Amino acid sequence: VGSDTGHMAILGYDPFKHYRGRGPFEARGVGLEVKPGDVAFRCNFATVDENGVIQSRRAGRIEAGTDQLREIINEEISEIEDVQILFKESVAHRAALVLRGENLDEHITPTDPHVPGVEYWKSEPLEGYEDNEAARRTAKILNAFVERTREVLDDAPLNEERRAEGKHPANIVLPRGAGTAVDLEPFEKRYEIPGAMIVEVDLVRGLGEYLQMKVPRVTGATGGPDTDEIAIADEVVDSFQKNDFILANIKAPDLGGHDGDVAQKIAAIEKVDRAIGHIIDNTADMHLVTMVAADHCTPCAVRDHSGEPIPTIFYGYGVTPDGVQSYGERACAQGMMGHFRGADVMNLLMNWAGAAEKFGA
Amino acid sequence: VGSDTGHMAILGYDPFKHYRGRGPFEARGVGLEVKPGDVAFRCNFATVDENGVIQSRRAGRIEAGTDQLREIINEEISEIEDVQILFKESVAHRAALVLRGENLDEHITPTDPHVPGVEYWKSEPLEGYEDNEAARRTAKILNAFVERTREVLDDAPLNEERRAEGKHPANIVLPRGAGTAVDLEPFEKRYEIPGAMIVEVDLVRGLGEYLQMKVPRVTGATGGPDTDEIAIADEVVDSFQKNDFILANIKAPDLGGHDGDVAQKIAAIEKVDRAIGHIIDNTADMHLVTMVAADHCTPCAVRDHSGEPIPTIFYGYGVTPDGVQSYGERACAQGMMGHFRGADVMNLLMNWAGAAEKFGA
């Protein structure tokens, strides 16, 4: 499960039905519109040598200045053939791309091989789409875009500086995660309550934008291990003034899992614990139903997302208590709610909140 | 979950597929036929003042004499436009109505606002059905029916008596729960065993009628906290002479939940406990598989149905025992069967009864 599909499921939008690729969420998350017919991508700024061999997939973990590179790209590459090029940077090495024009198709392969030391890939139609004219055209335009970024970024002032400092230049953009506009019923229309998402990554923020939820940005929420969890918790508490549903996500535990760093993950989970305590302490008069869970597992042993059940707490007035006394995989396996699907979560919460309609009489 | 949808699920008829509203079950439960094209309603006898403001939604909890009112309605209101009016009283303030004619549609709003002190509602097409000619016609005929009941009931002898006694007259009929005929495969055809339902409320009895199950009435089964649970248990035992499957439901615990009355609910559950003991004691030689469950929760804290898991016992020869030693939410959460959907129950029972067909070889 991914962060996008995990969040979709928790919010009651079955990803098997609705998911059309990561690109559109990433693009919406950085503020690019994705219209029906557009094809959207998430991108990395990366470093390649003169032979196109990747030296760093994240341009030496570039932290700042990608807005200057975006300006160059927007100026130099606004159109390829008759297709409009919309590009915007996100945090760190990340960015998003939207292709807009007639006759485009998202069934094409990525350009990022996901490992350094090899040449970046040329995009081509996915298996089964080799004869799809639109997919062939989209892959061709995407490859042309990548080549053009190599040309216009190489001597950018930022990259000259980085070379002088012994850092990897951000001299190419590698798109992947091709997807097209999704048609999701707005959250408030579906559940008849206003909702907000307080999240740190643009991918998930983009989902919130799609669902027409409020997606406030929190000062101090870095998306990293140093994030200000109390600032996030305060925003949750404040947001209940205007919303009846809040989904908040702190990214740090996932990073510890990806890095296989147990100490970092423990510290991140302690941050989440403090944030939850802060929320509970400051919402005591609100009669909330609180759920503690995750969008997916990221075990340190796996260093990537995995598919195990997520231990989940439901807490609040109207929630039947069971005998479970602690939070974790083993303890929660004994719980009264047993195992349930992510896509059932909203039904459970609406039930306990007394907001579910009776089916039948 | 409702009582109708809950019972449908337990009997293996997926309510998401088959449910078409409460009205048809209620009508069948009082003995009115509901044919394809008919629109059926549950109704309340109620009390309104001269301005149409509801003084009592249940006509002062009227207990007797509604058969006299039904006779008046049947005589005076047999047709509106070219639509046939079928009306019959149920227990207490309850009744059922069937509209029969061309070009009717069940997607219309109720006339009962569910609270006293306000005017009763005019029926109209549901949101999205405003342009549906049949729905508009059905709402119009329903509203005409309600007006006619006001006219013919006001000076009914029973109501004159009630007024003289200081009681609320039953001077209007308020239909709601519009639904149309459902097409359910008969129980015996589906499971190849004869079945009976021994239940106290007409809504669920109507479902049994639809499924062409036997639905005997039990003397002493009042549907209230004073019901004779031993008479119900005796009927269950007797019914096994001619049936291989019995569903029995005692209504009282649900009432305690709706009233938020913990003591009443405990007393009701003790009645159920005695009934089960009586059945077990008197069927020892029958090799039964017994299931103890409920069609839904009605927590005293919620005072309405809710969506939590139902603790369930399976007991009998062939049922693998597990480690659970008591009955309740927390104890049963540890059980061997984990969590399952209502619609899977019949498969489980048929399996333990040795009556399921092998799927595969």
Side-chain angles (χ1 to χ4, degrees):
Chain A
V1 62
S3 292
D4 43 10
T5 46
H7 276 85
M8 282 178 80
I10 287 175
L11 291 167
Y13 297 83
D14 184 349
F16 291 110
K17 243 191 245 172
H18 296 292
Y19 189 64
R20 297 295 299 271
R22 175 172 188 155
F25 296 138
E26 201 81 49
R28 281 292 287 265
V30 301
L32 292 175
E33 209 184 350
V34 184
K35 298 182 178 177
D38 291 355
V39 176
F41 305 83
R42 60 189 295 219
C43 306
N44 279 8
F45 284 101
T47 311
V48 289
D49 68 15
E50 63 282 8
N51 300 315
V53 173
I54 293 173
Q55 297 175 299
S56 167
R57 282 187 59 240
R58 296 167 178 167
R61 290 185 179 265
I62 190 167
E63 288 292 340
T66 54
D67 53 335
Q68 301 167 34
L69 304 179
R70 176 251 302 162
E71 280 177 23
I72 294 170
I73 291 171
N74 286 173
E75 189 157 318
E76 301 283 340
I77 324 174
S78 64
E79 234 178 60
I80 295 177
E81 294 184 18
D82 53 349
V83 172
Q84 200 183 337
I85 307 293
L86 307 165
F87 179 84
K88 187 145 191 273
E89 82 284 1
S90 173
V91 292
H93 58 281
R94 299 187 188 87
L97 167 71
V98 173
L99 303 182
R100 179 168 299 158
E102 298 293 309
N103 200 22
L104 297 173
D105 191 283
E106 77 276 20
H107 296 95
I108 61 172
T109 60
T111 63
D112 178 356
H114 261 267
V115 285
V118 300
E119 270 183 69
Y120 63 90
W121 291 340
K122 304 286 182 209
S123 179
E124 50 187 54
L126 290 177
E127 211 182 305
Y129 288 84
E130 295 87 346
D131 296 332
N132 181 316
E133 202 50 58
R136 284 160 62 172
R137 168 175 141 90
T138 310
K140 188 179 146 219
I141 287 166
L142 189 70
N143 291 328
F145 169 78
V146 173
E147 292 311 308
R148 289 286 290 136
T149 65
R150 263 184 98 177
E151 290 163 24
V152 304
L153 294 182
D154 196 52
D155 58 357
L158 179 80
N159 282 334
E160 299 295 0
E161 275 170 41
R162 291 181 64 84
R163 285 195 190 92
E165 290 165 7
K167 292 178 180 167
H168 282 101
N171 63 359
I172 195 168
V173 174
L174 296 178
R176 59 191 160 118
T180 191
V182 285
D183 183 24
L184 297 175
E185 185 179 32
F187 181 89
E188 188 165 349
K189 183 154 181 234
R190 172 169 291 194
Y191 296 110
E192 297 185 344
I193 52 174
M197 280 175 70
I198 297 164
V199 294
E200 299 191 281
V201 292
D202 285 330
L203 173 67
V204 182
R205 183 188 311 281
L207 171 63
E209 297 260 11
Y210 255 108
L211 298 174
Q212 298 178 27
M213 300 172 79
K214 267 80 76 188
V215 284
R217 287 188 188 269
V218 179
T219 309
T222 62
D226 63 339
T227 198
D228 183 348
E229 75 276 9
I230 299 302
I232 293 172
D234 277 333
E235 182 70 39
V236 170
V237 174
D238 289 351
S239 290
F240 275 117
Q241 298 307 319
K242 295 193 175 171
N243 297 280
D244 294 326
F245 174 90
I246 316 278
L247 183 152
N249 184 294
I250 292 178
K251 181 73 177 166
D254 179 57
L255 301 176
H258 279 290
D259 291 347
D261 185 333
V262 175
Q264 183 191 332
K265 186 158 176 180
I266 290 172
I269 292 173
E270 286 170 349
K271 268 183 182 277
V272 174
D273 202 24
R274 277 193 295 274
I276 295 168
H278 191 84
I279 293 168
I280 299 279
D281 289 346
N282 288 281
T283 57
D285 56 342
M286 288 189 198
H287 305 292
L288 296 184
V289 176
T290 305
M291 167 176 161
V292 179
D295 50 339
H296 56 74
C297 303
T298 318
C300 287
V302 178
R303 294 187 172 216
D304 205 344
H305 305 181
S306 68
E308 287 83 45
I310 311 291
T312 304
I313 300 171
F314 297 105
Y315 168 79
Y317 184 81
V319 179
T320 316
D322 61 16
V324 179
Q325 296 293 322
S326 61
Y327 180 63
E329 282 80 357
R330 267 165 273 188
C332 288
Q334 307 304 313
M336 200 189 85
M337 293 307 298
H339 290 70
F340 47 87
R341 299 249 161 192
D344 287 331
V345 161
M346 280 302 298
N347 283 337
L348 298 175
L349 292 176
M350 295 293 277
N351 169 53
W352 282 310
E357 278 191 46
K358 198 185 273 179
F359 176 52
Chain B
V1 62
S3 292
D4 43 10
T5 47
H7 277 87
M8 281 178 81
I10 287 175
L11 291 166
Y13 297 83
D14 183 351
F16 291 110
K17 242 191 247 172
H18 297 292
Y19 189 65
R20 297 294 300 271
R22 175 172 187 154
F25 295 138
E26 202 81 48
R28 281 291 288 264
V30 301
L32 292 175
E33 207 183 352
V34 184
K35 296 183 180 176
D38 291 355
V39 176
F41 304 84
R42 60 189 295 218
C43 305
N44 279 8
F45 285 102
T47 311
V48 289
D49 67 15
E50 62 282 9
N51 299 315
V53 173
I54 294 173
Q55 296 175 298
S56 168
R57 281 188 60 239
R58 295 167 178 167
R61 290 187 178 264
I62 189 168
E63 287 292 340
T66 56
D67 54 335
Q68 301 168 35
L69 304 178
R70 177 250 304 163
E71 280 175 23
I72 295 171
I73 290 171
N74 286 171
E75 188 156 319
E76 301 282 339
I77 325 174
S78 64
E79 232 178 61
I80 296 178
E81 294 184 18
D82 53 349
V83 172
Q84 200 183 338
I85 307 293
L86 307 166
F87 179 84
K88 187 147 190 274
E89 81 286 1
S90 173
V91 293
H93 59 281
R94 300 185 188 88
L97 167 71
V98 174
L99 303 182
R100 178 168 299 158
E102 298 293 308
N103 198 24
L104 297 173
D105 190 283
E106 78 274 22
H107 296 96
I108 61 171
T109 61
T111 63
D112 178 356
H114 261 266
V115 286
V118 300
E119 270 182 70
Y120 63 91
W121 291 340
K122 304 286 181 211
S123 179
E124 48 187 54
L126 290 178
E127 211 182 305
Y129 288 84
E130 295 88 347
D131 296 332
N132 183 316
E133 203 50 59
R136 284 159 64 171
R137 169 174 141 91
T138 310
K140 188 178 147 222
I141 287 165
L142 190 69
N143 291 328
F145 168 79
V146 173
E147 292 311 308
R148 289 286 290 134
T149 64
R150 265 184 97 177
E151 292 162 22
V152 303
L153 294 182
D154 195 54
D155 59 356
L158 179 79
N159 282 333
E160 300 293 0
E161 276 171 41
R162 290 182 66 84
R163 285 196 191 91
E165 290 166 6
K167 292 178 180 168
H168 282 101
N171 62 0
I172 194 168
V173 173
L174 296 178
R176 58 188 160 119
T180 191
V182 285
D183 183 24
L184 297 175
E185 185 179 33
F187 182 88
E188 188 166 348
K189 184 158 179 227
R190 172 169 292 193
Y191 297 110
E192 298 184 344
I193 52 174
M197 281 174 70
I198 297 163
V199 294
E200 299 191 282
V201 292
D202 284 330
L203 174 67
V204 182
R205 182 188 313 280
L207 172 62
E209 298 260 13
Y210 254 109
L211 298 174
Q212 299 178 27
M213 299 171 79
K214 267 79 76 188
V215 285
R217 287 186 188 270
V218 179
T219 309
T222 62
D226 62 339
T227 198
D228 183 348
E229 75 277 10
I230 300 303
I232 293 172
D234 277 334
E235 182 70 37
V236 171
V237 175
D238 288 352
S239 290
F240 275 116
Q241 299 306 318
K242 294 193 177 171
N243 297 280
D244 293 326
F245 174 90
I246 315 280
L247 183 152
N249 184 294
I250 293 178
K251 180 74 177 165
D254 179 57
L255 301 176
H258 279 290
D259 290 347
D261 185 334
V262 175
Q264 182 190 333
K265 185 159 176 180
I266 291 172
I269 292 174
E270 287 170 349
K271 270 184 181 275
V272 173
D273 203 25
R274 277 193 295 273
I276 294 169
H278 192 85
I279 293 167
I280 299 279
D281 289 347
N282 289 280
T283 56
D285 58 342
M286 288 190 199
H287 304 291
L288 297 184
V289 176
T290 305
M291 167 176 160
V292 179
D295 50 339
H296 56 74
C297 304
T298 317
C300 286
V302 178
R303 293 184 173 219
D304 204 344
H305 305 182
S306 69
E308 285 84 46
I310 312 291
T312 304
I313 300 171
F314 296 106
Y315 167 78
Y317 184 82
V319 180
T320 317
D322 61 16
V324 179
Q325 296 294 323
S326 62
Y327 180 63
E329 282 81 358
R330 267 164 271 192
C332 288
Q334 308 305 312
M336 199 189 84
M337 293 307 297
H339 289 67
F340 46 88
R341 299 249 163 193
D344 288 330
V345 161
M346 281 301 298
N347 284 337
L348 298 175
L349 293 176
M350 295 293 278
N351 167 53
W352 282 310
E357 277 191 46
K358 198 185 274 177
F359 175 54

